[in-house]
């Protein structure tokens, strides 16, 4: 009997996700904008992937990175939003322990994937603007594949230990998670054991990874800005600023709420749990919806292809 109890406590069958604490009576209404945002993310990123896949003129390094970003965004929002809508509209609060671990893995994996892709895009713009003559010789298809493997490999190797850090914990207290999805520290705090390793790994390793990405992105765009303002052609200057403007907008939209959410979870004890959970939900829904819109508006090649896709006669 004792062995059975220990096994049950280490491997719980399921958890309960309560949604947004304090706003349970408004869940049905809150679900409507989340559903709309999710649809925009699916359609926007789906159109981007379709155009980049089907149109050979978009088979360039910049658009390859953009297709990777669209794929990562789809993973990020699809990992969390459907389950959130199930909680809001169907009261489907139960999630199995393996399902919780799976959601936890893909949530954090797609986040680090996004960060690494944004770094790759910054390097791509640096080569295109600062070393245009070497651009095609450096960013060959073979190099792009290597970068892709490196991006996926790094994200996987950083996040996989988190799954095992959670899996080893005994859960013998409450299994109610005051959230709409499973995330590392939120689940670890339910354990009846020391979670110091989880806290240190869950904070130090990701923060160091993200900060290193931000530093390298900052260096890239500093060099890009220096080069941009020395371009001889006014058209080239405007094109470079427009392209980099879309990248910088996406970087701000991605990193600002992500860093705020991470720091709030560790240090923001005076911040309302309701506000924190609502903000955490917006963070996984809004950037994937806004990214394709920003690139569609800011990038002329994408804008022209979208117009041609929906209004073919008008372009002829």
């Amino acid at each position: 009997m004792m062995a059975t109890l220990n096994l049950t406590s280490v491997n719980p069958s399921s958890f309960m996700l309560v949604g947004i604490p304090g706003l349970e009576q408004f869940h049905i209404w809150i679900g409507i904008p989340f559903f709309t945002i999710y649809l925009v993310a699916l359609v926007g990123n789906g159109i981007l992937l379709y155009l980049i896949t089907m149109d050979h003129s978009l088979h360039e390094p910049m658009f390859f990175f953009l297709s990777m970003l669209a794929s990562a965004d789809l993973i990020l929002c699809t990992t969390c939003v459907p389950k959130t809508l199930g909680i809001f509209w169907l009261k489907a609060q139960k999630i199995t322990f393996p399902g919780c671990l799976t959601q936890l893995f893909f949530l954090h994996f797609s986040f680090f994937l996004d960060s690494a892709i944004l770094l790759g895009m910054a390097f791509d713009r640096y080569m295109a603007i600062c070393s245009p003559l070497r651009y095609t010789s450096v960013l060959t298809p073979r190099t792009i594949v290597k970068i892709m493997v490196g991006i996926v490999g790094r994200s996987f190797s950083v996040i996989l230990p988190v799954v095992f850090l959670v899996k080893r914990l005994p859960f013998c207290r409450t299994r109610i998670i005051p959230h709409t999805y499973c995330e590392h520290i939120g689940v670890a705090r339910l354990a009846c054991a020391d979670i110091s390793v989880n806290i240190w790994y869950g904070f130090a390793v990701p923060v160091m990874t993200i900060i290193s990405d931000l530093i390298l992105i900052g260096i890239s765009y500093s060099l890009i800005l220096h080069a941009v303002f020395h371009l001889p052609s006014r058209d080239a200057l405007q094109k470079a600023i427009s392209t980099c403007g879309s990248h910088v907008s996406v970087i701000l939209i991605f990193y600002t709420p992500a860093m705020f959410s991470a720091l709030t979870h560790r240090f923001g004890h005076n911040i309302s749990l309701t506000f924190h959970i609502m903000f955490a939900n917006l963070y996984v829904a809004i950037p994937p919806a806004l990214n394709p819109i920003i690139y569609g508006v800011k990038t002329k090649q994408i804008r022209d292809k979208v117009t041609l896709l929906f209004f073919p006669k008008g372009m002829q």
Side-chain angles (χ1 to χ4, degrees):
M1 182 176 178
M2 196 65 182
T4 306
L5 180 62
N6 288 338
L7 182 63
T8 305
S9 67
V10 173
N11 298 296
S13 59
S14 63
F15 291 107
M16 295 293 288
L17 294 163
V18 301
I20 302 176
L23 296 178
E24 288 86 353
Q25 66 270 36
F26 302 112
H27 276 175
I28 291 176
W29 302 107
I30 295 171
I32 295 172
F34 273 99
F35 177 70
T36 305
I37 293 168
Y38 182 54
L39 274 184
V40 171
L42 289 180
V43 172
N45 288 292
I47 289 173
L48 269 183
L49 288 171
Y50 173 78
L51 290 174
I52 294 168
T53 303
M54 301 302 293
D55 198 312
H56 290 283
S57 67
L58 299 180
H59 290 181
E60 300 175 9
M62 182 179 81
F63 298 109
F64 178 81
F65 284 116
L66 186 52
S67 68
M68 285 188 68
L69 184 68
S71 301
D73 282 343
L74 286 174
I75 294 172
L76 177 61
C77 62
T78 302
T79 296
C80 299
V81 178
K83 180 59 182 177
T84 299
L85 293 175
I87 295 168
F88 288 167
W89 289 345
L90 304 174
K91 306 294 184 185
Q93 297 177 314
K94 185 177 179 180
I95 184 169
T96 64
F97 185 60
C100 189
L101 289 178
T102 302
Q103 187 181 55
L104 180 153
F105 171 79
F106 281 105
L107 167 68
H108 296 299
F109 171 75
S110 58
F111 172 78
F112 283 95
L113 206 57
D114 265 347
S115 181
I117 292 166
L118 290 175
L119 175 58
M121 295 175 83
F123 175 69
D124 168 78
R125 288 302 85 200
Y126 165 76
M127 290 300 302
I129 294 169
C130 299
S131 300
L133 298 178
R134 299 176 57 219
Y135 181 72
T136 53
S137 62
V138 171
L139 287 173
T140 61
R142 187 182 182 88
T143 303
I144 294 293
V145 171
K146 288 180 180 178
I147 292 173
M148 179 189 73
V149 172
I151 285 172
V152 174
R154 191 197 76 166
S155 304
F156 184 83
S157 60
V158 169
I159 296 306
L160 188 62
V162 170
V163 176
F164 291 102
L165 286 174
V166 173
K167 191 174 175 59
R168 73 181 176 87
L169 294 173
F171 294 90
C172 52
R173 293 201 297 261
T174 178
R175 306 224 177 116
I176 298 173
I177 303 174
H179 211 311
T180 57
Y181 54 79
C182 294
E183 60 89 30
H184 176 212
I185 299 300
V187 175
R189 282 181 174 159
L190 300 181
C192 49
D194 181 22
I195 61 167
S196 300
V197 176
N198 294 73
I199 291 173
W200 281 108
Y201 188 91
F203 180 71
V205 174
V207 165
M208 285 190 295
T209 306
I210 298 304
I211 286 176
S212 65
D213 286 351
L214 278 170
I215 289 171
L216 292 171
I217 289 171
I219 292 171
S220 297
Y221 280 102
S222 298
L223 296 171
I224 288 168
L225 284 174
H226 182 266
V228 158
F229 290 109
H230 288 84
L231 289 174
S233 166
R234 185 176 181 84
D235 289 340
L237 175 65
Q238 288 179 341
K239 183 180 178 181
I241 290 175
S242 177
T243 304
C244 291
S246 61
H247 288 213
V248 172
S249 299
V250 168
I251 287 165
L252 291 174
I253 288 171
F254 175 74
Y255 282 111
T256 304
M259 294 301 288
F260 176 84
S261 182
L263 292 172
T264 300
H265 206 77
R266 271 70 176 185
F267 306 113
H269 304 298
N270 296 324
I271 295 177
S272 151
L273 182 61
T274 301
F275 175 79
H276 182 204
I277 301 304
M278 176 65 85
F279 192 87
N281 276 276
L282 292 174
Y283 146 68
V284 299
I286 290 180
L290 287 182
N291 289 350
I293 295 172
I294 290 170
Y295 282 110
V297 171
K298 291 274 189 180
T299 309
K300 187 177 185 301
Q301 288 148 293
I302 294 290
R303 190 168 64 244
D304 291 345
K305 298 300 178 184
V306 171
T307 305
L308 186 62
L309 180 66
F310 288 102
F311 307 101
K313 293 181 180 179
M315 294 294 292
Q316 291 176 354

